[in-house]
Every structure is written in structure tokens, then in C-alpha cells.
Amino acid sequence: MIDQTMSASALSGPPVSRWWGCFPELRRDTLGFLLRCHAYGDVVKLPMGLVLELLLRQRDAAMYVLNHPADVRHVLVTNQDNYRKAPVAPAESRIFGQGVLHTEGEIHHRQRRLFLPFFHGNHVTAYADLIVGKADDLAAQWQDGTTIEIGQAMAHLTLSVIWRLLFGREVGSEATTLRETIAVGQRLIKLQYDSLFASLTPLWVPTQLHRQFTRGFRTIEAMIRRLIDERRTATRHGDDDMLSLLFSARDAEGRRLSDEEIRDELMTFLLAGHETTANALTWTWFLLSQHQSVWEQLTQEVNEVVGNRLPTAADVPLLRYTKMVWEESLRLYPPAWCLHTRLALAQDRLPSGAVLPSGAWVFVSPWSLHRNARWFPDPTRFDPERFSEEAKDARPAFSYIPFGAGGRRCLGESFAELEGLLILATLASRIQLCSVEGQTIQLEAGMTLRQNVPIRMTVQRLGSSEPHPAAT
Ligand code: HEM
């Protein structure tokens, strides 16, 4: 940390293209590039290049990567009112509309006030039995020796949970359409972030991807509209799912929410609420399959706490080591590898001394913070002991932010943790998952931190003695 003021022009960063700025490097190797930025100090300046300066009509337009937790706290918490979310890719904006993820100011405050009680205390733990039941059903379907795609399995599981949370009913045959459409949406959003041309091409231009995207999302919207209409005509007493919460909500003038507003919120929670958790679980199973001693410690804890019965919400606080594994997995592979870029409304001096100009694009990346050797020595090593109480106390606050921070901190954090821990405990007491040999898994920085190829794993039912030949 430096103790003197550093103007934006004094900040440095890796060499970038004069015309295209940092984007070619970011596109080539986003995650590696962010790690290489550690060498350039607490705040790294990444010019956006002449082309974007012209388009944005902003001289010296640059992104600023924050590498110091004190600066992260300042931007996300202490002086958060000076920052707003930067515009997002057109496909992203089309999906989330005016849902809580993308709004600002008073509207956003009102939305958070509505949702916060929904994600608190007993209301969240009430979903424990549902989560465990679904995980148990999944484990029962898997035969000993079967090979599964763990990412797909976790996505279907978390989708079935979120669908119940949103609509109070089981997801049916629509699950496949939903997953396929989300995959298309993710491809298009990545393309729009990677290519200026793609981001400027309107969605009505009939490229193959645009057509698939529009068709798929219209289908999902039609499903959601049908569910809204059904509920409107037949309100069921005692419903406490998100749809009934949205029906009972009133805006500042006492008006009911429009169908459009309800749709935007449901779409937001549908996507934000299952893809991330599925991703975290997938990485956790992968890590467990590579670290036998961690797996043994985790199963020992699950056996001691849960034994032969199914886990309950009351077990969760006792699953301390399982939680350390979950947290370490979110450190190494944070599903939200970067937060939404923030825009500085006015010039701001950060605790590190760097001065961000008005209009600065501020980049906070959990991936990059979590792999900074200053806060996490030997950062690529998987070591759940980093999350013992003592180790956590020894680290600066805001060096670990898988759920963001401040007024835009993840609304579903406690739900995600409950879901993650209960799924791990339920499955770990019944099966072991072993990676199929010979797979080369690489990271892909899309909307979430994904694997470049599906991870295949072999199921070994616990109690069956011999390890499977396909397993590592
Ligand atoms: C492991 C799972 C999850 C991770 C890693 C995660 C991560 C995040 C992060 C980093 C943010 C902040 C983005 C920013 O500041 O730019 C966020 C926001 C949000 N998350 Fe999550 N999330 C997870 C699960 C969930 C779940 C289960 C739900 C809902 C059921 C959810 C709903 C939301 C919503 C609505 C926001 C927007 C909050 C706002 O802007 O006020 N997330 N999430």
C-alpha cells in the first residue's frame, strides 16, 4: 500500500494496443492477463484504446483493476454511492431487463428491501428438506460405475430447486429447453463482450445465434407468463414462493408490479440463482476428486454429523470442514470471476493513494483477488485450512469476495451456502465421484467461470468395495 496520491496518468499497467487497448489481451487470455496485472501495483490502468475513446467520446478512457482489498472495500462499500454499474452486453440487458441485478438508485433499494426478508433466516432454512430430498433422489438414480457429466447434473439439480423457490412447483419437461437456452445466451453474451462488432450488431439482425437466442428466450418468457397468469387466476392461500411475494409487492405509489416487472425479477433469480451454485458445486466435486485426503476428512465429518440419516438444516452449522472445502473451492474457482464493471461518477481518491478520474471503469475480480499471493500464499494450491477461523482472521477483509460486497452483495448468498453444503453432505454420504482419466480441463471466463469441456466423473456407490477402473 502506498501513502501518497497517484494521479491516473501516473498509474501503470501492461503494454496494450494503441487502437484496441487492453481488449485483445483480455480476449486472448482473460484470466491469465488479470493475474499478470498483479505485478503492476495496487491499481492497474488498462487503456481502452483509441477506437473506444472515439465511440465513447471519452479521452484517456481506461479500466482500472483493483488489486488491494482496502480499495475494493472503498469502491464497493465505503464510497459505493460514487459508483454505478457500467452498461452491459445487449443480450444480458435483454435477459435481465429491470430486475434487481441491473437497476440503480431508489428502484434498486426498493427491490432489495422487498427481497432481503425472503433470503433471511428461517425462510431460507425452510428449503433444506427440499434440497436434501432432491439430492437424495439424484444419488438414488446413479448406478454404481455409471459415468456422468457432473456440470450438467449439478445444473439440473439446482434448476429444480430454484424453480420450486420461484414458482412453488416442480420443473418438468421445460428443464431441457431452459438449460439449452441459457447455454445459447451465455455464448452470445461472451461473444458480445469479446467483439465490439458483435456488441454493436442489433439483436434483430438474423444471425444464427441471434435467432436461437431470441427463439429460446421467447419460449422461456412464455413459460413464465403462463405461470404468472395461472397464479393470477387461481391464487393459492399459503403460497410463500417468490411469485407470491412479487404479487403482494407494491411500489412507492402503492401500485402493484406490472407483469413485465414480475417477469424481469423472476428471470433474474432463475438465472442468477442456479447457474452460479451449479458451477460452484461442479468445481468442488472436481477438486474433491483430485484430493483424496480432503475427501476423507469431509466424509468423516459428514458421517459423524449426519450418520445414516439425511442431513437437515440443523446439521449445517456443524459441517465446519465441509464449509471450509466449499469456501476454498469458491476461492480457487469463484463462479462470478469478475463483478459487473463499475463506473466512477466523480473523481475519487482510493485508500492506496490512486486517484480515479470521473468516468473511470473500475474492474474488481474475485478471481484475481483470490489468487493474489499477497493474501493467499501459494495461491493455486487447494487447501481448505485457509478457511479455519485463525487463518481467516489473519487476512485483510475484502481479500475474499465470492459474493461481492456492499449494497450489491449477492442476495442469495445464504441460500447458495445452504444449498451447496446440503448437496455436498447428502451426496458425499452415499457416493464418491472420481474424474474419468485423461480429461484436460481448462478454465473459460464466460458469464461464470466454466470448464471448456464437460467434466466426466464415475460414480462409486459407497459401500461397494473396489474402485472403478475408469476412475483416477
Ligand atoms: C455460489 C453461488 C453464487 C455466487 C458465487 C454468487 C455471486 C454473486 C455476486 C458476486 C454478486 C454481485 C455482483 C456485483 O456486485 O457485480 C451477486 C449478485 C446477486 N446474486 Fe448471487 N451468487 C450466487 C448464488 C445466488 C443465488 C442462489 C441467488 C438467488 C437465489 C443469487 C441472486 C443474486 C442477485 C439477485 C444478485 C444481485 C444483487 C444486487 O445487485 O442487489 N445469487 N451474486
Side-chain angles (χ1 to χ4, degrees), residues 85 100-101 108 112 119 162 269 272-273 276-277 280 335-336 339-340 342 402-404 407-412 415-416:
K85 289 190 170 182
V100 60
L101 192 64
H108 178 250
R112 274 191 82 94
F119 286 103
I162 195 78
F269 281 96
T276 39
T277 316
L339 304 188
H340 283 239
R342 307 301 207 257
F403 293 97
R408 306 222 63 132
R409 191 181 176 118
C410 177
L411 274 163
F415 189 79

Side-chain angles (χ1 to χ4, degrees), residues 86 89 130 161 194 285 471:
L130 166 79
V161 171
D194 281 353
W285 289 116

